[in-house]
Amino acid sequence: MRPSYHPLTLNEVIIQQQSAFPYAKGELSQLLSHIAVAAKVVNKKINKAGLVDITGGADNVNIQGEAQQKLDIFANNTFIASIKATGILGGIASEEDDEIVIFDDDLSLNGKYVLCMDPLDGSSNIDVNVSVGTIFSIYRRISPPGTKVVIDDFLQEGTKQVAAGYIIYGSSTMMVYTTGLGTTSFTLDPSIGEFCLTEKFMETPEDGKIYSINEGNYAKFPRGIKDYLKYCQKVDEKTNRPYSSRYIGSLVADFHRNLMKGGIFLYPKTESNPKGKLRLLYECNPIAFLAEQAGGTATDGDGNRIMEIKPTDIHQRVPFIVGSKNMVRKVEEFMSKYYEK
Ligand code: AHG
Ligand code: MN
Ligand code: MN
């Protein structure tokens, strides 16, 4: 036999999966490959963070009042340019742009899809060499092709997503995506510049022993969440240990670890922030889709499935509880004791 190294690349897997959609014209596949190219460009830049002048703030604040990092803007521009070039999208809703970005060239006006994205998630971690990510979510537009996309194209329930994914720029760079046929992961092989298949059908454990939450906010949490945290901290009779607390502060990285090992991520509502912090369109919905496709689940802690929430604003926030099925169920159980109610 001839010795060879032939990993399955992202494009090859996308082509395989495309055959499951007999009417697909390959447009979605093309879009995913363009996202991967932009991810490689952003990855290169992130790797050089300490060497070139891209760390730190950009003296700018986004619509959510958050200081933009230089890399937030670089990632945003890179993804927009790369994705626009496909002509498949009518427009984009991004964390870093106040309004939707409409593509009005002839090709894009006929684009069938729209995309929501968090170009750089966990960006305050970039200055300290901690994992960050990119999150995206794709919908079929509802307005007629040939016209400019409108806000309602973006305000669709998460159940309508046709694809979603993230890139994690970590100790290795990975892309994890779903088109509704399971959650698939790829690792960037820097020597050949390709995302290579890691796991075709990821399965998250139904139970886990890791909880991820910013406990600094403890005093402001609802009673149900406080009770759940006490439950996590109780010593388990079998293992003689409580659950482990792990919190990076990059949603993508915290979620990725829990997806692999089993665990739960919580960003609940508080009195001062009754809608939590994370954004429904470009953080919670795509992560919820990936979680569900891997056997996990995602709710708002008040019994509502994240993907069934009808959005009213592109930057809307939502309380977010995601991870292993039985752990999320347990949180809901604690929360329901205090429903008011
Ligand atoms: P972003 O960098 O896109 O604004 O997202 C940061 C988010 C998310 O990644 C993370 O889970 C959360 O903010 C952390 O918030 P706290 O610092 O309040 O814990
Ligand atoms: Mn984010
Ligand atoms: Mn961001």
Side-chain angles (χ1 to χ4, degrees), residues 1-7:
M1 207 169 87
R2 294 169 201 229
S4 67
Y5 169 63
H6 184 79

Side-chain angles (χ1 to χ4, degrees), residues 283-293 297-298 306-307 320 322:
E283 290 180 317
C284 305
N285 267 335
I287 295 289
F289 192 16
L290 292 160
E292 288 196 7
Q293 286 292 316
T297 187
I306 289 294
M307 293 213 290
F320 193 41
V322 62

Side-chain angles (χ1 to χ4, degrees), residues 95 118 120-122 135 279 283:
E95 179 192 3
D118 178 353
L120 204 69
D121 173 62
I135 313 174
R279 278 61 56 105
E283 290 180 317

Side-chain angles (χ1 to χ4, degrees), residues 55-120:
T55 55
D59 299 328
N60 211 356
V61 166
N62 66 18
I63 192 166
Q64 294 145 89
E66 297 158 345
Q68 284 180 318
Q69 303 292 112
K70 287 179 196 162
L71 213 60
D72 282 323
I73 298 169
F74 176 82
N76 196 35
N77 294 343
T78 304
F79 276 100
I80 292 181
S82 177
I83 286 163
K84 184 172 190 275
T86 63
I88 292 162
L89 285 179
I92 286 185
S94 165
E95 179 192 3
E96 303 306 335
D97 287 296
D98 305 359
E99 311 280 344
I100 56 171
V101 180
I102 298 172
F103 300 153
D104 57 6
D105 56 287
D106 289 348
L107 207 56
S108 305
L109 282 175
N110 283 298
K112 280 200 210 121
Y113 301 96
V114 294
L115 182 134
C116 306
M117 71 167 171
D118 178 353
L120 204 69

Side-chain angles (χ1 to χ4, degrees), residues 69-315:
Q69 303 292 112
K70 287 179 196 162
L71 213 60
D72 282 323
I73 298 169
F74 176 82
N76 196 35
N77 294 343
T78 304
F79 276 100
I80 292 181
S82 177
I83 286 163
K84 184 172 190 275
T86 63
I88 292 162
L89 285 179
I92 286 185
S94 165
E95 179 192 3
E96 303 306 335
D97 287 296
D98 305 359
E99 311 280 344
I100 56 171
V101 180
I102 298 172
F103 300 153
D104 57 6
D105 56 287
D106 289 348
L107 207 56
S108 305
L109 282 175
N110 283 298
K112 280 200 210 121
Y113 301 96
V114 294
L115 182 134
C116 306
M117 71 167 171
D118 178 353
L120 204 69
D121 173 62
S123 54
S124 62
N125 275 328
I126 200 78
D127 291 359
V128 289
N129 204 355
V130 169
S131 301
V132 291
T134 296
I135 313 174
F136 61 91
S137 161
I138 300 167
Y139 291 86
R140 198 163 283 119
R141 70 187 288 182
I142 48 181
S143 58
T147 61
K148 286 185 187 173
V149 290
V150 294
I151 192 104
D152 283 344
D153 291 319
F154 297 85
L155 300 180
Q156 302 189 53
E157 292 92 339
T159 49
K160 305 265 171 60
Q161 291 172 101
V162 292
Y166 60 77
I167 294 101
I168 175 167
Y169 312 97
S171 47
S172 61
T173 295
M174 293 186 76
M175 178 161 169
V176 179
Y177 81 78
T178 181
T179 52
L181 297 172
T183 297
T184 308
S185 67
F186 298 83
T187 305
L188 181 64
D189 180 341
S191 65
I192 56 168
E194 288 281 358
F195 280 100
C196 300
L197 182 64
T198 305
E199 214 177 334
K200 200 151 189 185
F201 296 105
M202 295 179 85
E203 271 180 59
T204 195
E206 286 196 350
D207 285 294
K209 298 231 172 294
I210 297 173
Y211 68 100
S212 308
I213 188 167
N214 184 343
E215 267 179 287
N217 295 326
Y218 185 87
K220 296 191 276 172
F221 288 148
R223 278 193 289 173
I225 297 292
K226 286 182 178 168
D227 287 358
Y228 178 70
L229 294 180
K230 277 190 220 128
Y231 164 85
C232 293
Q233 291 158 0
K234 264 209 319 247
V235 174
D236 183 286
E237 277 174 14
K238 276 191 220 136
T239 60
N240 204 25
R241 294 189 60 175
Y243 287 2
S244 290
S245 163
R246 295 280 183 276
Y247 191 73
I248 293 171
S250 291
L251 168 64
V252 165
D254 279 307
F255 172 74
H256 186 74
R257 179 201 49 242
N258 295 351
L259 178 69
M260 310 274 298
K261 292 183 175 257
I264 188 167
F265 175 95
L266 309 97
Y267 213 109
K269 62 181 176 186
T270 59
E271 259 163 49
S272 44
N273 292 312
K275 294 195 158 175
K277 174 182 182 187
L278 299 178
R279 278 61 56 105
L280 177 59
L281 260 63
Y282 41 80
E283 290 180 317
C284 305
N285 267 335
I287 295 289
F289 192 16
L290 292 160
E292 288 196 7
Q293 286 292 316
T297 187
T299 73
D300 66 353
D302 283 324
N304 304 303
R305 180 182 173 210
I306 289 294
M307 293 213 290
E308 286 176 6
I309 298 171
K310 173 82 182 123
T312 52
D313 183 289
I314 58 166
H315 296 293

